[in-house]
Amino acid sequence: MLPSQPFINISFFQPQSFLMTGIPGLEAAHGWISIPFSSMYTVALTGNCLILLAVKRTHSLHQPMYYFLSMLALSDVGLSLSTLPSTLAVLWFDYRFIEFHACLIQMFFLHFFSVVESSVLLAMSFDRFVAISNPLRYASILTNNVIIRIGVAITTRATLSLLPLPFLLKRLNYCPGKILLSHSFCFHADVMKLACADITVNILYGLYVVLSTVGIDSLLIVMSYSLILHTVMGLASPRERVRALNTCVSHILAVLVFYIPVVGVSMIHRFGRHLPHIVHALVAYVYLVVPPVLNPIIYSVKSKPIRGAMFRVLSGKGRG
């Protein structure tokens, strides 16, 4: 049975809870589907925590590049933990209710860590640009104090950008019989569609947040790599060019793993309303679950220092 839905008054209604959706059309197979999801969450959390421990315990990794990698791993842990409880509750126990305020909190942290990840990827592109274009001044430009300031700026930017979202949703009047979400977690675009009110402000502010964070970040990353490519092409030796570009491969893959699903989610929400619900669900899961899984794999495969440090952590050896 649905929980009772108390009315505050006759003209304003907020649901006590929303009803989450797992994989539309595959509800009978949720038990089996939970196995790969549980595995991916385990890989994501284990891999990113290993990176954090590896950087912390290995003195040779106390460099700007690896500090930024730690920020990326931390944002991936946060993103995984934002969706893990509700997703596994739906898949394991078929528990589909999420309380109204819990939904708003989950939505805030889900989008918060997405914006943080985008900002960290931008900071990492700046790190690569400085390392390649001005290697002699790399350590003097990206000092510990500068990195701390960048981290604070990233956190402040995400907080200030996203803090209004829960309040913009809380002010809306909702339809009493309209509580079904499209996913097993709370997206801003998904929740606001359940309102029986004018959501123009929500739409415009959501668009502003996307353009002012992920949109600007992606443009600046492209600009950074244009400058990197220009610098690399100016190197005399082909071997030096390949060596310089090889230091960017891991970051380029991480950028693609993050931004391709972001574009997919944006396109689906705006132009794919007539697509089957399962397409919306799968694209959203790819956006939220796949990057935290792949980033540790990418960096452990492509970065020998990270791979060695992770093995030392796993084997219980001392600090490097």
Side-chain angles (χ1 to χ4, degrees):
M1 289 181 63
L2 294 177
S4 60
Q5 306 288 334
F7 285 86
I8 296 173
N9 59 52
I10 198 168
S11 61
F12 186 79
F13 174 81
Q14 280 183 349
Q16 181 181 338
S17 59
F18 291 117
L19 190 64
M20 298 179 291
T21 303
I23 309 293
L26 298 175
E27 288 82 1
H30 275 179
W32 292 106
I33 294 171
S34 70
I35 296 173
F37 271 89
S38 301
S39 301
M40 285 190 289
Y41 278 123
T42 301
V43 170
L45 293 174
T46 304
N48 285 293
C49 288
L50 272 176
I51 287 178
L52 291 170
L53 286 172
V55 173
K56 180 183 178 182
R57 295 183 179 182
T58 308
H59 184 72
S60 60
L61 297 183
H62 292 178
Q63 301 175 31
M65 174 182 176
Y66 300 111
Y67 288 144
F68 287 128
L69 177 57
S70 296
M71 293 183 194
L72 184 67
L74 198 57
S75 66
D76 280 336
V77 169
L79 192 58
S80 297
L81 291 177
S82 297
T83 60
L84 183 150
S86 59
T87 298
L88 294 187
V90 171
L91 296 179
W92 279 353
F93 309 112
D94 197 32
Y95 185 82
R96 299 172 59 193
F97 292 104
I98 182 167
E99 197 268 335
F100 180 77
H101 292 97
C103 179
L104 298 186
I105 292 170
Q106 182 190 50
M107 181 211 67
F108 171 81
F109 281 108
L110 188 157
H111 292 299
F112 172 84
F113 286 113
S114 294
V115 170
V116 166
E117 181 147 345
S118 175
S119 303
V120 171
L121 289 171
L122 172 59
M124 294 174 83
S125 71
F126 175 69
D127 167 80
R128 291 300 82 208
F129 170 67
V130 174
I132 291 172
S133 65
N134 207 339
L136 297 179
R137 296 190 59 206
Y138 177 67
S140 62
I141 292 173
L142 288 173
T143 62
N144 287 345
N145 283 337
V146 169
I147 293 169
I148 290 171
R149 289 175 186 172
I150 291 174
V152 171
I154 287 172
T155 305
T156 304
R157 177 205 194 195
T159 302
L160 294 178
S161 296
L162 295 166
L163 196 58
L165 286 185
F167 297 100
L168 288 175
L169 289 174
K170 191 171 172 58
R171 72 184 176 87
L172 294 175
N173 184 28
Y174 291 83
C175 303
K178 204 173 176 183
I179 62 168
L180 183 63
L181 297 171
S182 302
H183 309 287
S184 59
F185 40 78
C186 296
F187 264 138
H188 173 253
D190 198 18
V191 176
M192 72 178 181
K193 290 176 184 175
L194 301 181
C196 289
D198 184 5
I199 58 172
T200 302
V201 173
N202 296 72
I203 293 172
L204 293 177
Y205 189 76
L207 184 60
Y208 161 76
V209 170
V210 171
L211 294 178
S212 65
T213 55
V214 176
I216 289 178
D217 291 349
S218 59
L219 290 176
L220 292 176
I221 289 171
V222 170
M223 188 183 301
S224 295
Y225 272 100
S226 299
L227 295 172
I228 288 171
L229 197 59
H230 181 265
T231 302
V232 168
M233 291 298 104
L235 297 175
S237 168
R239 182 175 295 179
E240 288 180 359
R241 295 176 190 172
V242 173
R243 187 180 302 163
L245 288 175
N246 275 340
T247 65
C248 300
V249 170
S250 298
H251 180 252
I252 291 172
L253 291 175
V255 168
L256 294 175
V257 163
F258 177 77
Y259 280 102
I260 289 176
V262 166
V263 172
V265 168
S266 299
M267 297 295 286
I268 287 287
H269 268 288
R270 281 159 181 78
F271 307 112
R273 295 177 182 176
H274 303 296
L275 291 174
H277 290 305
I278 191 171
V279 175
H280 290 256
L282 291 177
V283 171
Y285 285 123
V286 168
Y287 161 56
L288 292 171
V289 179
V290 171
V293 171
L294 290 185
N295 284 336
I297 296 173
I298 290 169
Y299 278 93
S300 62
V301 170
K302 298 299 296 181
S303 174
K304 188 176 179 181
I306 285 291
R307 185 168 64 251
M310 291 173 74
F311 280 131
R312 282 194 294 274
V313 170
L314 286 172
S315 62
K317 293 184 179 179
R319 297 171 183 267

